[in-house]
Amino acid sequence: MAKGCDVKQERISFGGYGAEPGKFQGNFGVAVSADSEIFVTDQFNKRVQVFNMKGTFLRLFPTVVPGERKTMRPCSVSIDVGPGYLWVLGRYKEAHVVKYSKNGQPIKKFDFINKSVYPVIAMDVRNSKVIVGDGQRIVMFDPNGSRLWSSEVRLGYGIGGITSDKEGNVMLTDRRKTIQKYIPSGVKIFEFGTSGKGKGQLNSPRGICLDTSGHIIVASYLKDRVDMFTSQGEFVRTIADIKFPEAVAMGPCGELVVTSPYTNTVSIFPRHMVLP
């Protein structure tokens, strides 16, 4: 366990609807840095807000598009490979991917023509690449914005969440019932999931992340819960019951952070509530 990790903490929830600091209007994306700062996209307030692992508001910054006199509506966020930076995917007519410092200084950006209302972003940490899930396609960019490859995934409802494992494989949810895994070249190699009300079944899966042991953690939006699976897709247990969970992220001490745009709240589940 990392130094300073507190296993005795109970669940914490914070936020609520509003425009003042600490409140949200569309908190669809979340990421946690190595130093335990929580970054939450606040879409309709056009900003990213930052909190600590106790849910205390630290700071915020507007999602300015560098080189342009406009502020985008952020949809999704991911921590960069280099410490002190993050990537935010947002829209202002077209879609922008912007790199910021942790204090909100815009560094650089690249654009792409988006096909969905809520595209999502993740980092391929192993290869230092930017992954975008947009509708029914995965797009891989290098950090300068050059498109490396694009793969159509043929999903009925589009990509709900996306992440990458230690080998550089891409994992996504299909907004219906399945979790899918693709090798770095974009070829699907694995899929699991069924729709239903039983244990381990999914209904509109959205956010997805991995813990340090490789467990797959999925927010099942219409099931009001967050479930854990093994890397082979076997159901382990339900971690959290939460109304309409959207995005999920793991903290460095094994905490789970979950957003719910329906209630405009963020919940932190400590390590002892997350471990199988």
Side-chain angles (χ1 to χ4, degrees), residues 20-257:
E20 60 267 35
K23 303 293 186 180
F24 304 105
Q25 294 185 42
N27 54 335
F28 288 93
V30 67
V32 182
S33 65
D35 58 352
S36 296
E37 289 191 336
I38 302 170
F39 295 81
V40 184
T41 59
D42 189 4
Q43 187 177 46
F44 298 105
N45 287 320
K46 297 182 179 180
R47 64 193 185 187
V48 169
Q49 299 199 63
V50 190
F51 303 83
N52 65 20
M53 272 297 170
K54 294 183 179 180
T56 303
F57 171 80
L58 300 177
R59 61 188 182 277
L60 60 80
F61 60 87
T63 42
V64 173
V65 179
E68 303 185 38
R69 299 179 66 180
K70 62 186 181 183
T71 305
M72 66 181 184
R73 291 181 172 178
C75 303
S76 185
V77 58
S78 186
I79 301 299
D80 188 49
V81 175
Y85 299 95
L86 62 149
W87 292 88
V88 178
L89 190 161
R91 294 187 302 130
Y92 181 95
K93 297 180 180 179
E94 69 271 22
H96 307 283
V97 177
V98 182
K99 183 178 182 179
Y100 296 94
S101 72
K102 287 174 56 181
N103 291 320
Q105 180 67 33
I107 307 299
K108 61 181 178 180
K109 63 102 174 176
F110 61 87
D111 307 328
F112 70 97
I113 299 174
N114 61 299
K115 297 183 178 181
S116 68
V117 176
Y118 294 112
V120 289
I121 192 171
M123 281 298 296
D124 174 356
V125 177
R126 176 172 178 172
N127 300 303
S128 189
K129 301 294 186 292
V130 179
I131 310 165
V132 172
D134 179 34
Q136 301 193 40
R137 63 176 179 163
I138 307 167
V139 189
M140 183 78 76
F141 299 91
D142 74 16
N144 291 319
S146 297
R147 181 179 298 197
L148 302 175
W149 56 263
S150 178
S151 179
E152 296 294 324
V153 293
R154 298 181 182 180
L155 306 175
Y157 294 90
I159 296 171
I162 199 162
T163 191
S164 178
D165 65 16
K166 294 178 180 178
E167 286 71 47
N169 300 307
V170 178
M171 303 191 71
L172 61 84
T173 63
D174 71 349
R175 284 185 176 264
R176 183 167 179 259
K177 65 176 183 178
T178 66
I179 312 303
Q180 301 183 13
K181 183 176 183 178
Y182 295 76
I183 59 175
S185 62
V187 177
K188 185 170 73 172
I189 57 171
F190 181 57
E191 176 181 320
F192 72 90
T194 59
S195 180
K197 297 181 179 180
K199 289 184 177 181
Q201 293 184 307
L202 301 169
N203 193 339
S204 190
R206 300 291 178 88
I208 181 172
C209 66
L210 305 177
D211 70 9
T212 55
S213 300
H215 292 110
I216 304 166
I217 297 170
V218 181
S220 196
Y221 184 78
L222 294 180
K223 283 285 188 292
D224 296 334
R225 69 191 188 198
V226 180
D227 290 331
M228 175 184 284
F229 300 85
T230 68
S231 60
Q232 300 303 310
E234 300 163 339
F235 176 68
V236 177
R237 68 185 185 90
T238 295
I239 299 173
D241 295 303
I242 187 169
K243 196 72 173 177
F244 297 121
E246 181 75 30
V248 292
M250 293 297 299
C253 294
E255 315 95 332
L256 175 67
V257 183

